[in-house]
Amino acid sequence: MAMDDSLPEDDDDPLRIVGTTVADKYAIESVAGEGGFSIVYRAQHLIWKQPVAIKFFRVLEDASPTMREKLLEDFVQEGKLMSELSSKSAAIVQARDIGRLARPDGGWLPYMVLEWLEGEPLDLLLAREQDEGLPARDLIATMGLLDAVVVALDVAHRRGVAHRDLKPANIMIDGDPRSPEASAKLLDFGIAKVMSDHEQLAQQLQKTGKEITAFTPHHGAPEQFSRNYGATGPWTDVYALALILIEILRGGARALEGDTFFELGVSSCNPDRRPTPRTLGLAVTAEVEGVFARALAVEPSLRFADAGAFWRALHRGVFPHGDTWRGGGRHTTGDPPSVDSPEEAVAASKPTVPFPDAVASTANPGAAALSATGDPATATTTSPVDRATTRPRERGSQWAVAAALFTAGGVGAFAIFGGSGATEASAPSRPSATASVSAVASGSAAAPSGPESITWAGPCPERMKPVIGGAFEMGSNDPSFALWKPAHEVKLDTFCLDVHEVTVAQYDTCVREGGCRPAAAKPDFPRGKTTSPEDHARELNAYAELCNADKPGRENHPVNCVDWYRADTYCRYYGLRLPTEAEWELAARGTDGRVFPWGNDAGDHTYMNAGGPEWRDWRTEHGMTAPARLMYEAADGYAGTSPVGKFPRAQTQSGQLDMVGNVWEWTADWYALYDAEPETNPKGPAVGDRKAIRGGGFNGVYENWLNPAARYHQLATASVHAIGFRCAADVREAN
């Protein structure tokens, strides 16, 4: 069917196709909506006898015939990917067909056929509820409303796909929006990128007074306003998702301040005022505020890597007593079904030596203990706030932004940035430690604008020493331990690393300043499969004695009983970060071919705090089975942790101490088995449940743990008496 260009345009039917049939199977019934790029019609599929939505992309009317042909090819590929994504999640609108609408002059418009959705876009829903005077939703209700949307984003992000135009207008709500039965679907994956990636089309459109922008400034992340902040990706969607949550909590009032593109850009990028719940007058716990602060960090690398990571962290803050998000379904409590542990999933890789207690629990990796703190937060609700005067745009309206105001980063609503799934290597690079990282932007709750206790001395902070980068062989092919195989070449940039593990006193300073949550008074980690629930409970109570927080005389011991998120927050609060696994191993291994961190001498009880007779005696005194062997027979003087730096003979090539023994150390990386391929500055997989840990602890009794390649893993939510951490930083360039 062709359009009749001899007729004037009808405001109620711009393409003049109502009452006609497209492609011999779509009977056009009415106009459903219109935007800056497209117009949507409702139609009946004459074969299936079902309503469908047909979206025509009018912006291409100004493109040349050659360009339209190329764009049609791109639309086909985007439609295919959109169809694949929707087959993985019912919360993504289904793409069913693609074609072209012919014009009498020989031109044509591409269109996409989508499933017809009943319901109401979230922006109009919030505006209507505001007009009706309905109270704002609390956080639990808000999360329930958007849970399906996050499932959809999680599916896309795990495929390496980002939406990049996430906003209320692209979320359709079906059913009673105040009922748990309401459903949500995510719209408009992929279209704007097809157009925005074509510079020639953009230039042609500028001549006609049109601009292509593939994001909405009211929900734009800093990297969308300026390339200076790096690339867009799933972390961009995390920023927008956090803004949408806050908008719902505020009853429709937007989170970003401003009306113009420039004002909204300034608001999005302002490090001194983040649009977090507490900043906007909402009552949430410190933990929830911290989650939002991290999601809304100006620097993309400081945010959660993807929507799933953000949602899991938010669940931990809101449901501290056992509700964990597992990628679908409403908020439920209780343990998830049992699944294989990583060891069972790779049975051929089962190590030949036992794992240390607590650290090496083989419990279900999905059963993350969410009450991993000594101070569990209560489920959060929010009180209504005054409605702002800003209102969502009416259906179909589109921001026409002047790209010249900023060098827009990643103008596209659909980004494929990495093969079959997102990886940390695809994420934006880490910020330089010279950057001003405010406490709020780095994920702390209601923290000051920046502590002054970290001072720099040359390329590294005074507390750190540089580790010279270069190529080294990471891992080991030694068959005695499977998880460190295979050895593979890694190249690293020079970086800075703490000389000592972070101490109780240092961590307490962060707590007093409001940047960190207190360390737990009692460990919380999964139960081993051979341990009864009763024995596990008794062990946790006994191990509480070994948690160092608030224990007089342990101020200079490493802080322990902190989960990965607390460790990460501490480092980021000071403008630092956790080291990657590769960085940790290079620092422990050195570049001179040494066998142990301190050299080629196997060492003894004067080199480290590990599993000696004190550890055996402590376990026996507390009714636990004595270890079958010890690291060494002589006493090192400590049943639990020792003060940091107590064993100077074990200094590494770069000057770090306690790289083995005392406590295991959290790294930045999610745990995964190695590939054999060479890597440069590897950062591990983008998602996971368990973080890689390094170094062995005071409970280590096997010589394998002294090898710089030794590695294991633990749930990121676990707080363990034998795990602490140290921080790293990028090298500061000389002025």
Side-chain angles (χ1 to χ4, degrees):
M1 195 225 77
M3 295 181 292
D4 186 355
D5 281 356
S6 65
L7 298 175
E9 187 172 282
D10 184 347
D11 289 341
D12 295 327
D13 181 14
L15 300 184
R16 301 182 298 282
I17 58 174
V18 172
T20 64
T21 301
V22 173
D24 297 326
K25 55 184 174 181
Y26 302 116
I28 307 298
E29 296 180 340
S30 61
V31 175
E34 185 174 4
F37 292 159
S38 61
I39 181 170
V40 179
Y41 283 80
R42 176 187 167 104
Q44 277 289 328
H45 194 297
L46 296 178
I47 300 174
W48 295 344
K49 306 300 181 183
Q50 291 181 343
V52 294
I54 305 184
K55 176 175 284 192
F56 296 91
F57 300 99
R58 297 197 65 187
V59 71
L60 300 185
E61 289 175 318
D62 298 294
S64 66
T66 301
M67 188 175 296
R68 284 201 298 269
E69 290 290 346
K70 175 62 173 68
L71 287 168
L72 183 62
E73 295 177 11
D74 292 342
F75 274 123
V76 170
Q77 294 303 314
E78 297 300 321
K80 178 182 178 182
L81 182 54
M82 185 172 170
S83 178
E84 291 175 358
L85 289 174
S86 63
S87 71
K88 301 293 184 182
S89 172
I92 297 176
V93 64
Q94 296 178 8
R96 293 178 172 172
D97 198 0
I98 196 167
R100 64 177 76 185
L101 180 66
R103 299 174 55 166
D105 62 2
W108 50 267
L109 287 180
Y111 64 80
M112 186 174 289
V113 180
L114 308 167
E115 68 172 311
W116 178 261
L117 298 178
E118 299 291 344
E120 190 174 17
L122 180 58
D123 60 338
L124 298 186
L125 167 64
L126 293 175
R128 177 177 59 77
E129 291 185 342
Q130 191 176 28
D131 289 340
E132 295 173 357
L134 295 177
R137 291 167 177 79
D138 64 24
L139 186 52
I140 293 176
T142 297
M143 292 172 68
L145 184 67
L146 293 187
D147 194 70
V149 170
V150 180
V151 171
L153 285 173
D154 191 46
V155 167
H157 289 174
R158 287 174 181 270
R159 287 285 308 273
V161 174
H163 190 288
R164 293 202 297 188
D165 192 27
L166 194 61
K167 57 185 177 182
N170 279 338
I171 299 173
M172 183 71 75
I173 306 298
D174 187 22
D176 181 357
R178 295 274 170 165
S179 163
E181 306 307 317
S183 63
K185 285 214 176 191
L186 188 56
L187 314 179
D188 275 3
F189 263 107
I191 306 309
K193 179 181 183 295
V194 175
M195 296 177 287
S196 64
D197 278 358
H198 290 264
E199 293 185 4
Q200 291 180 334
L201 174 60
Q203 293 171 0
Q204 286 190 16
L205 291 175
Q206 287 175 359
K207 295 177 182 178
T208 65
K210 298 179 181 179
E211 293 279 356
I212 291 183
T213 181
F215 77 97
T216 304
H218 276 294
H219 301 91
E223 62 270 21
Q224 293 178 294
F225 287 99
S226 173
R227 287 187 183 273
N228 291 335
Y229 292 99
T232 56
W235 46 90
T236 306
D237 293 344
V238 168
Y239 192 99
L241 178 60
L243 292 179
I244 293 171
L245 283 165
I246 293 172
E247 191 169 323
I248 297 173
L249 294 174
R250 302 184 76 206
R254 289 185 174 124
L256 288 184
E257 297 176 346
D259 297 316
T260 67
F261 182 87
F262 181 84
E263 291 171 343
L264 291 165
V266 171
S267 179
S268 177
C269 302
N270 182 2
D272 296 324
R273 181 173 172 80
R274 308 312 303 137
T276 60
R278 286 187 174 184
T279 301
L280 297 172
L282 296 169
V284 298
T285 64
E287 183 164 358
V288 168
E289 175 74 1
V291 171
F292 274 96
R294 180 174 176 184
L296 293 167
V298 173
E299 191 70 48
S301 63
L302 298 181
R303 294 181 216 140
F304 298 99
D306 52 49
F310 171 44
W311 215 239
R312 284 189 291 272
L314 192 56
H315 267 253
R316 281 191 300 273
V318 176
F319 304 101
H321 297 297
D323 186 338
T324 180
W325 188 78
R326 296 179 292 278
R330 297 288 169 163
H331 309 293
T332 58
T333 58
D335 291 333
S338 177
V339 298
D340 288 343
S341 69
E343 301 79 55
E344 293 169 329
V346 287
S349 298
K350 186 175 181 180
T352 58
V353 298
F355 298 113
D357 65 290
V359 169
S361 168
T362 56
N364 172 12
L370 298 183
S371 55
T373 75
D375 56 335
T378 57
T380 304
T381 58
T382 58
S383 56
V385 298
D386 293 337
R387 306 291 192 265
T389 57
T390 54
R391 293 286 301 277
R393 292 177 301 284
E394 295 304 315
R395 180 176 61 183
S397 63
Q398 180 77 26
W399 265 83
V401 297
L405 290 176
F406 286 83
T407 303
V411 282
F414 197 79
I416 304 171
F417 65 94
S420 62
T423 66
E424 283 291 328
S426 304
S429 60
R430 293 188 299 266
S432 167
T434 62
S436 173
V437 182
S438 73
V440 172
S442 61
S444 60
S449 61
E452 301 296 334
S453 56
I454 299 297
T455 57
W456 286 72
C460 295
E462 288 183 346
R463 59 190 273 179
M464 297 184 173
K465 289 186 181 295
V467 179
I468 305 303
F472 74 103
E473 189 176 74
M474 182 176 179
S476 173
N477 290 323
D478 186 332
S480 66
F481 188 63
L483 300 189
W484 59 27
K485 297 190 299 184
H488 56 290
E489 182 179 299
V490 167
K491 294 181 181 179
L492 289 180
D493 296 333
T494 298
F495 62 98
C496 306
L497 187 66
D498 275 340
V499 171
H500 302 295
E501 293 153 337
V502 173
T503 66
V504 171
Q506 289 173 320
Y507 192 84
D508 282 349
T509 297
C510 184
V511 173
R512 289 195 304 272
E513 291 176 351
C516 298
R517 291 188 297 121
K522 176 182 175 181
D524 192 347
F525 54 85
R527 174 174 60 88
K529 290 186 176 181
T530 60
T531 304
S532 69
E534 296 76 17
D535 286 344
H536 183 58
R538 282 194 294 269
E539 288 181 355
L540 290 181
N541 288 330
Y543 288 140
E545 179 182 310
L546 302 176
C547 290
N548 290 332
D550 298 324
K551 300 292 196 309
R554 299 192 199 172
E555 293 80 7
N556 202 36
H557 285 234
V559 66
N560 57 358
C561 299
V562 289
D563 61 24
W564 182 90
Y565 296 96
R566 281 177 167 83
D568 182 63
T569 295
Y570 171 90
C571 293
R572 292 188 184 280
Y573 178 69
Y574 291 105
L576 310 172
R577 56 180 174 80
L578 290 171
T580 65
E581 257 204 289
E583 288 174 335
W584 194 99
E585 183 167 330
L586 176 60
R589 182 184 293 278
T591 59
D592 55 1
R594 57 183 59 191
V595 178
F596 303 101
W598 50 83
N600 297 325
D601 181 0
D604 56 24
H605 65 287
T606 65
Y607 281 74
M608 77 205 87
N609 173 21
E614 300 95 341
W615 174 238
R616 177 189 58 204
D617 295 344
W618 188 93
R619 287 186 60 86
T620 302
E621 290 167 3
H622 288 77
M624 302 179 194
T625 303
R629 57 172 297 173
L630 300 176
M631 182 71 77
Y632 38 71
E633 293 297 332
D636 61 34
Y638 301 95
T641 61
S642 68
V644 300
K646 192 70 176 179
F647 299 89
R649 299 184 69 182
Q651 181 172 290
T652 67
Q653 182 186 36
S654 301
Q656 282 77 27
L657 294 170
D658 298 316
M659 291 293 283
V660 295
N662 218 11
V663 287
W664 289 79
E665 298 177 14
W666 292 112
T667 70
D669 297 359
W670 293 107
Y671 169 81
L673 295 175
Y674 290 144
D675 291 325
E677 296 300 318
E679 297 179 286
T680 299
N681 294 321
K683 300 178 183 178
V687 295
D689 291 308
R690 290 175 169 257
K691 287 290 184 176
I693 55 175
R694 290 297 195 117
F698 62 81
N699 56 357
V701 295
Y702 292 95
E703 292 181 0
N704 273 353
W705 301 122
L706 306 183
N707 190 320
R711 63 196 296 253
Y712 199 62
H713 49 78
Q714 181 54 277
L715 292 174
T717 53
S719 53
V720 183
H721 53 287
I723 302 180
F725 66 98
R726 71 180 75 214
C727 299
D730 294 336
V731 168
R732 170 180 279 176
E733 299 295 336
N735 293 328

